[in-house]
Amino acid sequence: MAAPSNAFWDHEGHFHTNALHWEGFPRLLWESLSLFHYTEPPQYDGVEYREEGVPRCRVKMTIPQHPFRSQWHSIEVEVVGYRLVDTIETAALEAIKLFCNQHPTEVAAYPIGLFPAIDSGNSEWNFRTEHLGHMLGELAEETVRSITRFMDVQYHYQILLLHSMGQLTSVAQSHYRNVDRQVTQIVELQALVTQKDEIIAARDETILHREDQINESNHIITQRDTVIEFLQAQIHDLILEADDAQAHLEELQQQPILPAAPVMPEEEEDPEEIEGVSEIDSEHEDPVLSPYHSSSSSQSSVGNFDDF
């Protein structure tokens, strides 16, 4: 459906309209202003945006300066709402209240003078409602018609508000579900972090235990290195001693071999056999052998012993 000629979007995304293409507070406001000889209807400037994930809109409207009453200054209204339609309605209703408050005497003779809504502390409104006789007679039908229209518009406005509140409630519930899900995720993450912390603490304890073992092993290695160094020193000393011994052996091997000394004859002992022979000879009175006796004669004489 094509947009009406009195509504358009500018290049900055703002919606401009006089809101006279539907029955509502903007039309009632303009019809009331027309009674006071205004020539231009109020203009509404609306823009939609999002605030913290929630759709919002801002509407600015202006009742222009009266064309020939210099004391009737322009009225500017700015309203923040949820949707453009209901926010424009709210801006028009706020403008009606401001206009009636600024010109209470002039509006007293017209149905718009019944606005704003009842307030027991407002003496001006009480005066207008208690003295409605001048509004009867020729204006009775128009008064009833206007009041009926205002009531109908108020009803439609309440429907718009109810619809907006329903949408706002849905958005709030959606945000609540998102927040609840995020809270659940946060709790799960906290439990996971706690579990990770426990694992890290266990690993830290294991690392400390391993470090103690490493320190102990390093101490043992240091002790063994000390023993190895000591043994290496001893081996070095033994190698030096072995080298000295080898050198000494080589020196001994290089010396000349001296001739063997002559063997001295051993002293003769008187054998018992000779003693025995001498005894025999002494018994048989063997003649004394002459030094000049030959070996053969001695052997024959010895052989003669068989005769005995």
Side-chain angles (χ1 to χ4, degrees), residues 119-152:
D119 183 4
S120 59
N122 191 331
S123 59
E124 294 291 338
W125 190 88
N126 289 329
F127 173 79
R128 292 196 301 270
T129 55
E130 291 175 1
H131 299 81
L132 292 178
H134 64 281
M135 299 182 64
L136 301 176
E138 296 180 357
L139 298 176
E141 182 179 356
E142 183 181 355
T143 301
V144 173
R145 188 183 301 274
S146 298
I147 292 174
T148 303
R149 288 183 62 195
F150 273 100
M151 292 177 62
D152 186 61

Side-chain angles (χ1 to χ4, degrees), residues 7-250:
F8 64 93
W9 297 86
D10 63 13
H11 63 282
E12 295 180 353
H14 287 236
F15 180 69
H16 299 272
T17 182
N18 55 20
L20 299 180
H21 52 282
W22 76 80
E23 179 71 12
F25 285 115
R27 180 180 290 183
L28 292 176
L29 172 62
W30 169 235
E31 291 178 359
S32 299
L33 294 177
S34 298
L35 296 175
F36 298 99
H37 308 291
Y38 279 86
T39 57
E40 295 292 334
Q43 296 295 317
Y44 299 84
D45 178 3
V47 60
E48 295 178 319
Y49 60 95
R50 297 182 72 86
E51 182 177 1
E52 297 181 354
V54 179
R56 303 296 299 274
C57 68
R58 179 181 291 103
V59 173
K60 296 180 181 179
M61 68 86 61
T62 302
I63 298 176
Q65 172 75 39
H66 197 278
F68 53 85
R69 293 185 181 184
S70 60
Q71 295 181 353
W72 287 28
H73 301 291
S74 62
I75 298 176
E76 295 182 355
V77 177
E78 182 176 349
V79 178
V80 176
Y82 180 68
R83 296 188 310 163
L84 278 175
V85 176
D86 54 276
T87 307
I88 290 173
E89 292 285 347
T90 303
L93 180 58
E94 184 68 21
I96 292 173
K97 292 179 181 180
L98 291 176
F99 184 79
C100 293
N101 287 334
Q102 290 184 9
H103 310 288
T105 304
E106 290 80 357
V107 301
Y110 299 92
I112 193 176
L114 297 176
F115 281 83
I118 186 170
D119 183 4
S120 59
N122 191 331
S123 59
E124 294 291 338
W125 190 88
N126 289 329
F127 173 79
R128 292 196 301 270
T129 55
E130 291 175 1
H131 299 81
L132 292 178
H134 64 281
M135 299 182 64
L136 301 176
E138 296 180 357
L139 298 176
E141 182 179 356
E142 183 181 355
T143 301
V144 173
R145 188 183 301 274
S146 298
I147 292 174
T148 303
R149 288 183 62 195
F150 273 100
M151 292 177 62
D152 186 61
V153 170
Q154 182 68 26
Y155 171 73
H156 286 290
Y157 177 62
Q158 293 297 329
I159 291 177
L160 289 175
L161 289 180
L162 181 63
H163 182 64
S164 299
M165 290 302 298
Q167 291 182 338
L168 185 61
T169 301
S170 298
V171 173
Q173 290 175 346
S174 176
H175 282 287
Y176 176 80
R177 287 191 294 269
N178 291 335
V179 171
D180 184 65
R181 182 170 59 254
Q182 291 175 357
V183 170
T184 302
Q185 292 176 352
I186 290 172
V187 172
E188 293 176 354
L189 290 175
Q190 287 178 344
L192 182 61
V193 169
T194 302
Q195 183 179 2
K196 296 287 186 180
D197 290 338
E198 293 176 355
I199 294 174
I200 292 172
R203 290 182 178 177
D204 290 340
E205 185 177 356
T206 302
I207 291 171
L208 292 175
H209 180 65
R210 295 290 174 83
E211 288 178 350
D212 293 337
Q213 290 179 342
I214 291 171
N215 292 332
E216 184 177 356
S217 298
N218 290 335
H219 180 68
I220 294 172
I221 291 171
T222 303
Q223 291 180 344
R224 291 182 178 178
D225 289 340
T226 303
V227 174
I228 290 171
E229 290 177 358
F230 176 74
L231 293 176
Q232 287 177 345
Q234 287 185 338
I235 292 172
H236 180 70
D237 294 339
L238 291 174
I239 291 173
L240 293 178
E241 292 179 359
D243 291 340
D244 293 340
Q246 182 68 25
H248 184 66
L249 289 175
E250 292 177 354

